[in-house]
Amino acid sequence: MGALETLKQWINESKRFVFFGGAGVSTESGVPDFRSQDGLYNQKYDFPPEEIISHHFFRERPLEFFRFYREKMMPLDVEPNVTHRVLAKWEQAGKLAAIVTQNIDGLHQKAGSRRVYELHGSILRNYCTRCGKFFPAEYVKNADGVPLCTCGGIVKPDVVLYEEPLNEDTVEKSIEAIQNADMLIVAGTSLRVYPAAGLIRYYRGHRLVLLNREATPFDGYADLVIHDSLGNIFSQF
């Protein structure tokens, strides 16, 4: 039996699998990832992207932070692709227990998924750093310079910047879902970003599936590995 046929059989047999996804899930919607050849890390700016989207850079150079953030990290006009749509279908069918994502674009929810744990936050949520008032993404996108609240505080996107911890509640729920899964599908991620990548170690089952264009450090631990684009794989379902 080929790898894709095995995956189809495992999905048919599964009752509570979890999907763990990274940037590769959204690249086919037109969202750039960080580490591919045409990703953000390989584009030229006055500062490295990982410094611009750090906590200290946000505090010290908010104007430059928001210039980069609006241009490169706010794809508000993109639509879910076949991977997002198939995952939503599986959740509605009662097979997919949860999605754990490293992405901040909100495309899983836009496709109809309900139980989505966003490890790195979301561009769709923004809060005043002073009073906590909520603002939609369009407010940040359309603001001139640094987006400000009516109270004068800076409106910060609810995304986890470098040097910031992950949300404890989100991590705990992700771990619980992974521990209780009868299969874990890991897709579209290099598995090099910690602590997020370390969460898959909580899976104790025997159906660890890795779907990625290129090899990852965890390929040797997986029970099934397919190297292909997610669009090619999920269009088979």
Side-chain angles (χ1 to χ4, degrees):
M1 188 185 300
L4 187 61
E5 285 69 32
T6 299
L7 177 59
K8 288 181 178 180
Q9 179 181 325
W10 287 4
I11 289 171
N12 286 335
E13 295 171 352
S14 175
K15 292 181 173 59
R16 59 180 190 282
F17 71 91
V18 168
F19 180 88
F20 181 103
V25 176
S26 292
T27 50
E28 291 174 30
S29 289
V31 180
D33 74 346
F34 274 72
R35 287 174 170 77
S36 69
Q37 286 188 330
D38 55 352
L40 294 182
Y41 274 30
N42 292 293
Q43 300 175 13
K44 302 302 180 188
Y45 297 92
D46 293 338
F47 299 89
E50 64 265 37
E51 181 175 355
I52 297 175
I53 51 177
S54 67
H55 180 78
H56 80 269
F57 197 94
F58 169 79
R59 304 288 289 191
E60 296 167 11
R61 297 174 178 267
L63 191 62
E64 290 170 88
F65 169 87
F66 279 104
R67 188 180 303 134
F68 176 89
Y69 179 78
R70 286 192 189 96
E71 182 182 346
K72 294 299 179 184
M73 299 183 68
M74 295 197 76
L76 300 183
D77 56 346
V78 296
E79 294 297 326
N81 59 50
V82 63
T83 303
H84 299 107
R85 294 194 297 270
V86 169
L87 291 170
K89 179 181 72 174
W90 285 340
E91 183 187 67
Q92 289 156 11
K95 287 188 166 295
L96 177 61
I99 292 171
V100 180
T101 180
Q102 295 172 291
N103 296 339
I104 59 176
D105 50 45
L107 287 177
H108 285 296
Q109 292 93 328
K110 200 170 185 179
S113 293
R114 295 288 174 260
R115 188 168 296 169
V116 183
Y117 300 130
E118 297 171 307
L119 293 173
H120 296 153
S122 172
I123 62 173
L124 303 182
R125 299 187 299 270
N126 304 270
Y127 299 96
C128 173
T129 53
R130 182 179 296 173
C131 74
K133 182 180 178 181
F134 172 85
F135 290 86
E138 287 77 14
Y139 183 84
V140 174
K141 184 82 168 181
N142 297 327
D144 289 327
V146 178
L148 298 176
C149 177
T150 50
C151 78
I154 294 177
V155 177
K156 180 184 181 294
D158 187 20
V159 298
V160 179
L161 304 177
Y162 285 99
E163 305 162 350
E164 293 181 344
L166 302 185
N167 179 277
E168 286 187 23
D169 184 57
T170 303
V171 171
E172 287 175 7
K173 288 177 178 175
S174 299
I175 290 173
E176 182 180 7
I178 289 170
Q179 286 177 328
N180 292 325
D182 60 13
M183 175 169 64
L184 178 61
I185 299 178
V186 181
T189 171
S190 64
L191 291 173
R192 299 180 192 280
V193 177
Y194 285 83
L199 294 184
I200 72 170
R201 296 186 184 277
Y202 287 93
Y203 177 65
R204 292 288 179 261
H206 301 288
R207 290 189 169 181
L208 173 59
V209 180
L210 292 188
L211 312 175
N212 206 44
R213 283 182 180 273
E214 298 158 2
T216 78
F218 283 82
D219 280 14
Y221 299 97
D223 303 292
L224 182 66
V225 178
I226 301 178
H227 289 154
D228 198 353
S229 74
L230 298 187
N232 287 342
I233 297 170
F234 280 83
S235 61
Q236 304 297 313
F237 291 93

